[in-house]
Amino acid sequence: MVRGVYIHIPFCHQICNYCDFNKVFFHNQPVDEYIEAVGKEIAMAVNNMPEQFENIETIYLGGGTPTALSPNQISRLLELIAKHLNIDVIEFTAEANPDELTIEKLRALKNGGVNRLSLGVQSFDQQLLQKLGRTHTNDDVYKAIDNAIAVGFQNINIDLMYGLPGQSIELWEDTLEKALLLNLPHYSAYSLIVEPKTIFYIQFSKGMLHLPPEEQEAKMYDLLMERMEDSGLSQYEISNFAKEGFQSLHNKIYWDNDEYAGFGAGAHGYMNGIRYSNYGPIKKYLQSIHMGQLPTLHRHQVSINEKCEEEMFLGLRKNEGVSYHQFEKKIGFSLNEKYGEIISKLMDEGLVMEEEGRVKLTRKGRFLGNEVFQQFLLYE
């Protein structure tokens, strides 16, 4: 049974230099046709497997940029979602760009059931924003948040990025200071990863992209954790910080390695032990829907070993770590049986610790997360 639903809106008015998500320029795209198709995909899935969608807890509109849609298009999308899914969920999130988040769009989102916003801010330095390909200004951020609060949104997150080309410790500290002055209930902060098929990747491969050294990026992460803690925000996952009661429930579904449905072009889902992905090209996605078929491109039955790996990779991202009891309940054998020696070794190295029936990363381990996660790979 799925706990959450992800819906992908692949349209953008501007393509960011670092983004590798499935997205296209908004102009000359069949946006209205796409919205109707998403409604049909949801209807097909719910009609085929109604029991899977009986107790969904979260819905998440991601992209691309959902706020690239007009207010009328947002309203129509949300109307179609409500037609086939119970939108009276605990958390209903929409991603947004600050310079697109008009009062009309905010009202459309609120009236359609959305109760959480996630704004792509990334930095409060205008030069860095231009390097990233972002088009908003700091004033756009302040105005969007003021308008959101005026419309009735209380659960607001902003995304930040560090380890950016030309970003100094001082610039990162300034961004953190400006972000925390907003006194929001949730902040996400990610280090830049140069992904293939992005503008940054092309620049990097040509030697045109100069990133901060690893030790400087580590200092930025340390500063992030320190500033968030000083501001009364609890770190509940490697990159996420929240006031009490404002943790991202949808993202927690991913980190708990629980099942969720994915709808839209290029969306991914995990249902009945099967990970699947949809066709990415919009034309191919629409063709499948018009033929009355679910637009599934790949399906993969997750093996026991893969499930073990995912439980550890994802669970250790959370500050609460991986529960010995829950691991055995989900997998069928004990955590020590599968990983006892590895956990002991990592404990000796000061990278993980055991506490209250859980194994979790230490502060040192958070800096070396990927190296720790690799230790839990199993070879079939």
Side-chain angles (χ1 to χ4, degrees), residues 7 69 91-92 101-102 125 131 232 254 263 284 321:
I7 298 166
L69 306 180
E91 181 185 280
F92 192 159
L101 202 52
T102 63
D125 182 85
K131 283 183 184 177
Y254 301 148
F263 297 115
K284 186 71 177 171

Side-chain angles (χ1 to χ4, degrees), residues 146-163:
D146 285 345
N147 285 341
I149 291 168
V151 166
F153 285 98
Q154 295 178 322
N155 196 349
I156 301 171
N157 167 68
I158 60 173
D159 282 347
L160 303 171
M161 294 180 74
Y162 60 96

Side-chain angles (χ1 to χ4, degrees), residues 21-76:
F21 295 124
N22 189 49
K23 76 280 180 190
V24 293
F25 278 114
F26 188 93
H27 191 59
N28 289 332
Q29 292 294 332
V31 180
D32 294 318
E33 184 182 356
Y34 180 84
I35 290 168
E36 299 301 318
V38 168
K40 289 174 184 174
E41 184 191 1
I42 296 171
M44 278 190 276
V46 173
N47 290 337
N48 287 346
M49 300 169 286
E51 71 288 346
Q52 285 286 332
F53 297 90
E54 286 175 357
N55 296 302
I56 61 169
E57 301 168 20
T58 67
I59 302 173
Y60 193 104
L61 295 181
T65 319
T67 51
L69 306 180
S70 71
N72 285 341
Q73 288 168 335
I74 290 171
S75 294
R76 178 56 180 162

Side-chain angles (χ1 to χ4, degrees), residues 6 8 10-11 163 294 307 336 345:
Y6 173 82
H8 191 73
F11 308 109
L294 287 171
K307 196 167 184 178
N336 276 328
K345 172 176 168 286

Side-chain angles (χ1 to χ4, degrees), residues 16-249:
C16 298
N17 295 341
Y18 56 87
C19 180
D20 73 330
F21 295 124
N22 189 49
K23 76 280 180 190
V24 293
F25 278 114
F26 188 93
H27 191 59
N28 289 332
Q29 292 294 332
V31 180
D32 294 318
E33 184 182 356
Y34 180 84
I35 290 168
E36 299 301 318
V38 168
K40 289 174 184 174
E41 184 191 1
I42 296 171
M44 278 190 276
V46 173
N47 290 337
N48 287 346
M49 300 169 286
E51 71 288 346
Q52 285 286 332
F53 297 90
E54 286 175 357
N55 296 302
I56 61 169
E57 301 168 20
T58 67
I59 302 173
Y60 193 104
L61 295 181
T65 319
T67 51
L69 306 180
S70 71
N72 285 341
Q73 288 168 335
I74 290 171
S75 294
R76 178 56 180 162
L77 173 64
L78 295 173
E79 179 188 332
L80 288 168
I81 293 169
K83 185 177 178 182
H84 305 295
L85 296 171
N86 173 22
I87 62 164
D88 187 24
V89 290
I90 305 169
E91 181 185 280
F92 192 159
T93 303
E95 292 181 345
N97 277 344
D99 51 339
E100 295 174 351
L101 202 52
T102 63
I103 199 88
E104 293 79 16
K105 291 182 184 182
L106 281 162
R107 287 189 183 124
L109 290 166
K110 193 80 170 63
N111 293 338
V114 173
N115 60 18
R116 181 176 185 270
L117 297 173
S118 183
L119 276 65
V121 173
Q122 318 314 358
S123 175
F124 283 91
D125 182 85
Q126 204 61 52
Q127 286 186 317
L128 280 178
L129 288 171
Q130 287 171 0
K131 283 183 184 177
L132 293 172
R134 305 292 289 174
T135 55
H136 69 265
T137 64
N138 291 355
D139 284 343
D140 290 327
V141 176
Y142 302 140
K143 185 178 179 182
I145 291 171
D146 285 345
N147 285 341
I149 291 168
V151 166
F153 285 98
Q154 295 178 322
N155 196 349
I156 301 171
N157 167 68
I158 60 173
D159 282 347
L160 303 171
M161 294 180 74
Y162 60 96
L164 301 175
Q167 186 181 38
S168 64
I169 297 283
E170 291 72 26
L171 284 175
W172 176 231
E173 195 162 15
D174 182 67
T175 277
L176 286 174
E177 188 177 318
K178 287 183 168 71
L180 289 166
L181 280 172
L182 295 168
N183 193 28
L184 297 175
H186 194 287
Y187 295 86
S188 301
Y190 303 96
S191 64
L192 174 68
I193 298 173
V194 179
E195 302 282 7
K197 300 180 183 176
T198 63
I199 294 169
F200 271 180
Y201 185 81
I202 296 166
Q203 292 174 349
F204 187 75
S205 62
K206 292 179 178 177
M208 297 165 59
L209 189 74
H210 304 291
L211 302 175
E214 281 186 19
E215 59 270 21
Q216 185 171 316
E217 189 178 306
K219 285 180 184 175
M220 290 179 178
Y221 184 51
D222 195 37
L223 188 65
L224 167 70
M225 291 191 288
E226 182 186 300
R227 290 289 187 272
M228 291 290 165
E229 186 178 343
D230 289 347
S231 299
L233 293 139
S234 296
Q235 183 177 19
Y236 67 99
E237 190 268 349
I238 282 180
S239 302
N240 286 270
F241 306 81
K243 292 181 181 178
E244 186 66 36
F246 286 93
Q247 295 184 358
S248 169
L249 300 179

